[in-house]
Amino acid sequence: MTASPDDTRDTNGRIKLTREAVLAAALEIIDQDGVDGLSMRRLARALDRDPMILYRHAPNKAALLDGVAETVLAQLEVDRTAPDWQAQLRVVAHNYRRLALTHPNVVPLLVTRPLATPLGMRPPGTLRALEDVLALLTHAGVSGPDALHIYRALFGFLHGHVLNELQELVENPDETTDLLRLGLHRLPINDFPLLRSLAPVLADYDGAAELDRGLDILLTGLATTITGSRP
């Protein structure tokens, strides 16, 4: 049964305090002001609750950040039974890029937070994409070690791509030349002649096309080196 608006609020008209509601509010704050803008006190104000109540759903800020990463990654779907694993990984890659561009302030959490946490201690939701990709590849006949190699190569590439794409910022879109729009005129011409000369290319950057170009190289290379996959 579909929940009515009243099902999500308490008798005082406030949003019911569930883990999902806490993480959704935390994600909204991070989207607006970045990770540094999130605190338990600010989150409590957004939810109209006493800060101490939040600790029932997240014992500390670190757990809160893990939960936000889990919330975003939960939106990344993988079809485990897709007949063409390369085509499915291309879909996954574009969906990951879409999530990154929708939540750019969350990208550092997706890329860096796992570095300090062993796999078995990470929130289960952050490992779902890994398990799903492994299932997709093994279903296609790829061996376990090769499937893990493909996952690592793919997400290593994706992390690098989205970080690069998020750097492609236009300083002043109203300027008349690409050099001025990108702010590259600030760089000394004698020190950065090549970078300055590439201003039109940088200004014409197409993230989706660049992603596809990289995927063409990556997936083709992986397909020729793995063992035990079905044609």
Side-chain angles (χ1 to χ4, degrees):
M1 182 176 67
T2 303
S4 68
D6 290 339
D7 291 333
T8 62
R9 298 186 178 274
D10 63 18
T11 55
N12 295 319
R14 301 177 300 186
I15 295 174
K16 290 182 179 179
L17 204 62
T18 62
R19 182 174 186 271
E20 290 73 20
V22 169
L23 294 178
L27 175 58
E28 187 173 344
I29 291 172
I30 292 175
D31 281 342
Q32 180 178 336
D33 294 319
V35 172
D36 291 341
L38 177 66
S39 68
M40 286 298 199
R41 288 189 176 277
R42 180 173 178 185
L43 182 58
R45 288 197 303 271
L47 293 165
D48 192 20
R49 295 296 201 286
D50 185 291
M52 297 307 296
I53 297 178
L54 299 184
Y55 290 98
R56 299 176 184 175
H57 303 278
N60 49 50
K61 185 175 178 179
L64 196 61
L65 296 178
D66 284 339
V68 169
E70 194 173 15
T71 296
V72 172
L73 286 174
Q75 301 173 57
L76 187 65
E77 297 182 356
V78 181
D79 182 355
R80 294 178 168 216
T81 61
D84 184 337
W85 66 264
Q86 292 188 56
Q88 177 58 199
L89 290 186
R90 192 178 291 272
V91 171
V92 170
H94 278 278
N95 286 340
Y96 187 87
R97 172 182 176 267
R98 175 182 54 79
L99 287 172
L101 296 182
T102 302
H103 305 287
N105 291 334
V106 179
V107 169
L109 300 181
L110 304 181
V111 175
T112 64
R113 283 196 66 76
L115 297 178
T117 310
L119 279 172
M121 296 176 64
R122 296 177 195 173
T126 63
L127 297 174
R128 182 51 51 194
L130 168 55
E131 183 69 17
D132 288 345
V133 169
L134 293 178
L136 165 71
L137 293 168
T138 54
H139 177 76
V142 178
S143 69
D146 279 340
L148 186 58
H149 171 66
I150 291 172
Y151 172 86
R152 288 170 172 162
L154 175 66
F155 276 84
F157 165 70
L158 286 177
H159 289 160
H161 174 84
V162 298
L163 289 174
N164 279 331
E165 183 166 359
L166 291 173
Q167 291 183 76
E168 301 290 337
L169 300 177
V170 174
E171 181 180 325
N172 190 340
D174 296 325
E175 284 289 356
T176 56
T177 70
D178 294 327
L179 195 70
L180 294 174
R181 289 176 66 237
L182 296 172
L184 293 178
H185 63 288
R186 303 179 188 281
L187 301 178
I189 190 169
N190 291 331
D191 294 335
F192 299 96
L194 296 177
L195 184 56
R196 286 171 56 108
S197 71
L198 288 171
V201 179
L202 291 167
D204 196 37
Y205 179 80
D206 183 332
E210 190 79 8
L211 178 62
D212 271 325
R213 185 177 181 182
L215 288 170
D216 287 342
I217 298 169
L218 177 68
L219 294 176
T220 299
L222 288 170
T224 62
T225 59
I226 61 176
T227 58
S229 61
R230 294 196 300 267

